[in-house]
Amino acid sequence: MATPRRDGTTDVRSLRKAVGARWSAFWFEARFATLPLAICRLAIATVLIAFAVHQRRAFVGLPADRGFGDVFHLAYAGFVPALSYRATAMAYTLAAGCGALALVGLLVRPALVAASALLTLTLLQDRLGFLNHQHHLAVVTFVLAFVPCAERLSLRSWWLRRRPHAPTPPQVVTSWAARLLQVMTSLVFLASALSKAKASWWSGDLMIASQMANADVGVRGGVRALPGFGMSHRPWIIAARLAARLAG
């Protein structure tokens, strides 16, 4: 703690030292039980597999000689290579396979890093297919790779326990990555909740715009539309909101 002086002021150096110690303890001395971390791995790996399989279905059957560079698209950066539709489907297939490895607890760190890289590559292809949750999933998958989340509920831990004189798996671990994952996810949900407090959300304008942007309109060169998300499957909801706005 900061050392108070006789004149009632506080020593700045000791205050700075105390704040630094608290900051270091918050990030680098945070202790987490291994079982919740393992459950977190199972949940994120399941979401990763479901998302990759869902996205892959949009590109299976499309012409193999066509890709993002053949139709109008808005890449995030010019140096990102334009993938063909077949390569994009393969990237999502590999991402699902990496998710399966993380789910069973084998090669968890390299699998999660590879999955994050594949998601980022497909994400950078086209801003027309913008999805907030793909950004978050790519980042969360990368951070999770540095979390000791395979100590429980994994084939790796099961195999280690079968070895003679195997050490007892830790029940509690310190992890800066787990703290970062905790803070990052909290901030994402907080920002999402605050965005819903805007007048444009309650009036319906923002919802209508977002659902029309995500509607099944065939943004992939008119060959096949991406599967719709949210309420784009339910046009009657959008029609009802539009009617309410027109009536108002």
Side-chain angles (χ1 to χ4, degrees), residues 150-214:
E151 302 295 337
R152 306 280 292 275
L153 306 179
S154 67
L155 290 179
R156 174 182 176 274
S157 62
W158 173 81
W159 176 256
L160 290 177
R161 287 197 304 269
R162 289 178 59 87
R163 296 172 59 183
H165 309 291
T168 303
Q171 300 296 317
V172 178
V173 294
T174 58
S175 173
W176 62 268
R179 177 67 83 188
L180 178 60
L181 191 65
Q182 182 186 56
V183 172
M184 181 177 63
T185 304
S186 301
L187 290 177
V188 167
F189 280 98
L190 176 61
S192 177
L194 293 177
S195 68
K196 303 304 184 294
K198 295 181 178 180
S200 57
W201 178 268
W202 290 99
S203 65
D205 295 339
L206 188 59
M207 189 278 292
I208 292 173
S210 63
Q211 296 307 321
M212 290 181 69
N214 290 333

Side-chain angles (χ1 to χ4, degrees), residues 214-240:
N214 290 333
D216 301 339
V217 293
V219 296
R220 299 295 176 230
V223 180
R224 179 186 294 181
L226 281 174
F229 289 88
M231 285 177 282
S232 61
H233 285 308
R234 306 171 181 86
W236 63 271
I237 295 182
I238 299 178

Side-chain angles (χ1 to χ4, degrees), residues 49-182:
I49 295 171
F51 176 78
V53 171
H54 179 82
Q55 290 293 95
R56 178 185 178 277
R57 291 173 54 190
F59 296 94
V60 173
L62 295 182
D65 57 342
R66 298 189 63 183
F68 287 99
D70 301 325
V71 296
F72 173 77
H73 73 295
L74 193 61
Y76 276 87
F79 61 84
V80 178
L83 298 179
S84 66
Y85 292 136
R86 175 178 292 178
T88 305
M90 180 59 66
Y92 281 121
T93 302
L94 293 175
C98 292
L101 286 175
L103 184 66
V104 300
L106 288 176
L107 303 174
V108 174
R109 178 167 296 180
L112 290 175
V113 171
S116 177
L118 291 167
L119 289 180
T120 303
L121 178 61
T122 56
L123 172 69
L124 294 177
Q125 292 297 308
D126 196 358
R127 276 186 282 182
L128 293 178
F130 179 85
L131 294 170
N132 283 313
H133 57 265
Q134 183 168 352
H135 293 71
H136 186 56
L137 182 59
V139 176
V140 165
T141 302
F142 181 78
V143 176
L144 185 66
F146 301 94
V147 176
C149 56
E151 302 295 337
R152 306 280 292 275
L153 306 179
S154 67
L155 290 179
R156 174 182 176 274
S157 62
W158 173 81
W159 176 256
L160 290 177
R161 287 197 304 269
R162 289 178 59 87
R163 296 172 59 183
H165 309 291
T168 303
Q171 300 296 317
V172 178
V173 294
T174 58
S175 173
W176 62 268
R179 177 67 83 188
L180 178 60
L181 191 65
Q182 182 186 56

